[in-house]
Amino acid sequence: MSLTSDPPIDPAAGTPGGPAAKNAAGPGTDYGELTVVPARHPWRWAAIAVTAVLVAQFISGLVTNPGWEWDVFAQFFAAPVILKAVWLTLQLTFYGTALGFALGIVLAFMRLSASPFLRTVAYGYIWAFRSIPLIVQLLFWFNLAYLYKELQFGIPFGPGFFTFDTMNLVGAVSATVLGLALHQAAYAAEIVRGGVLAVGSGQLEAAAALGIPKLRQLRRIVLPQAMRSILPNAANEIISLFKGTSIVSVMAIGELFYQVQVVYGRSGRVVPLLMVATAWYILLTTALSIIQYYVERHYAKGAVR
């Protein structure tokens, strides 16, 4: 006796290959002899053909158009002045990233603090440095000596013990690193904060129940899991900073884009020199993307099956 309201199923009638199914399909139907025809996508093939033609035309223009002046490109691609500029660009990116993310981590945990004062200060910093354009920040730090002739270190609102001349203390490169780092810290703080918030609070509660110290909870539980959320956005910021170093050319610092401008200003070969800068940016961005891939794979252990 059936305990459900469904009618009893006849195995012979309900089986896909049973007699009832064969009769419905017609007498003598043999499913093994049926030909499976894949779905046709004519518009997809048309889009592929149009795209292939456009790509071929673009490549042909790069190769055959004499305006690109590939001989001039080859002449300056590995020139000593260009290699020196590439090295300076990498240095600016490294120092700006290291200092920016170090300060950004501090700001992120200030925003996550239970203290309203620390949260307000961190939010104010992030709001200010995300609102002011980078070029304005760089020019401000470059002209710091105009506002402050010297810096004193001592008792707050009291006598100073050490004095530094800001004209000699903050040069063009120092002002650039300072501006890039402080600008980057505002974005790094939000990236780190988002990664920490992505870790479930239940894991911290379990760690606290086991008596694990807070610093060890942060180092061994929170950050390894937060890195999976932090890394993609952090890598984007590093790549953006690497390309954004071209903005310091307004301060006459000899990074890659500035040196390219100097060379084509003397030689008049604008297009091939711009291609030199483009090629270096593409190569180094690709290298950073490869590093990002392997770092992400390292922190994804145990999470990606």
Side-chain angles (χ1 to χ4, degrees):
M1 179 182 225
S2 176
L3 298 179
T4 66
S5 59
D6 297 332
I9 299 176
D10 184 2
T15 305
K22 290 185 178 181
N23 292 335
T29 302
D30 186 359
Y31 291 100
E33 297 180 356
L34 294 177
T35 302
V36 179
V37 179
R40 293 177 174 83
H41 303 280
W43 290 110
R44 180 189 300 175
W45 288 106
I48 292 174
V50 171
T51 305
V53 171
L54 293 176
V55 171
Q57 288 181 323
F58 176 74
I59 295 175
S60 175
L62 286 178
V63 175
T64 60
N65 190 340
W68 293 105
E69 298 183 277
W70 292 112
D71 54 335
V72 179
F73 170 88
Q75 177 185 353
F76 286 101
F77 179 76
V81 65
I82 298 297
L83 295 179
K84 184 179 179 180
V86 170
W87 174 241
L88 179 58
T89 300
L90 290 174
Q91 286 181 303
L92 294 176
T93 304
F94 174 78
Y95 291 128
T97 299
L99 296 175
F101 272 87
L103 179 57
I105 292 173
V106 175
L107 290 169
F109 284 100
M110 287 175 64
R111 284 211 63 188
L112 296 170
S113 172
S115 169
F117 176 75
L118 294 179
R119 290 201 306 268
T120 302
V121 171
Y123 179 80
Y125 178 96
I126 294 169
W127 166 78
F129 280 86
R130 288 198 305 184
S131 302
I132 303 173
L134 177 57
I135 189 171
V136 175
Q137 298 179 40
L138 292 174
L139 293 175
F140 170 80
W141 294 114
F142 186 65
N143 294 281
L144 183 64
Y146 176 78
L147 296 174
Y148 302 98
K149 305 298 181 184
E150 59 183 19
L151 296 178
Q152 290 185 349
F153 293 90
I155 300 175
F157 306 103
F161 301 132
F162 303 99
T163 303
F164 297 95
D165 183 9
T166 54
M167 182 65 70
N168 300 322
L169 181 64
V170 181
V173 177
S174 301
T176 299
V177 172
L178 185 61
L180 292 175
L182 294 177
H183 177 78
Q184 188 69 19
Y187 294 91
E190 292 297 275
I191 292 173
V192 174
R193 186 175 70 94
V196 172
L197 291 176
V199 180
S201 60
Q203 301 193 40
L204 294 179
E205 294 173 359
L210 293 173
I212 300 176
K214 286 188 175 296
L215 185 60
R216 191 176 181 186
Q217 292 178 26
L218 177 65
R219 183 170 55 90
R220 300 298 300 271
I221 297 175
V222 176
L223 287 181
Q225 298 181 74
M227 288 297 288
R228 293 197 292 266
S229 300
I230 291 173
L231 277 173
N233 296 321
N236 284 338
E237 282 299 315
I238 294 172
I239 291 174
S240 297
L241 180 64
F242 167 69
K243 295 183 296 183
T245 54
S246 60
I247 202 172
V248 307
S249 61
V250 299
M251 302 167 62
I253 296 177
E255 50 81 44
L256 178 58
F257 187 68
Y258 177 79
Q259 287 295 350
V260 165
Q261 286 181 305
V262 171
V263 174
Y264 75 60
R266 294 173 179 173
S267 63
R269 306 296 189 185
V270 178
V271 173
L273 266 301
L274 288 178
M275 287 302 297
V276 168
T278 301
W280 275 112
Y281 283 125
I282 290 175
L283 286 175
L284 295 176
T285 301
T286 303
L288 290 174
S289 300
I290 293 173
I291 295 173
Q292 172 193 353
Y293 168 77
Y294 283 104
V295 174
E296 284 186 7
R297 192 173 70 171
H298 170 75
Y299 282 100
K301 291 178 180 179
V304 179
R305 303 298 181 186

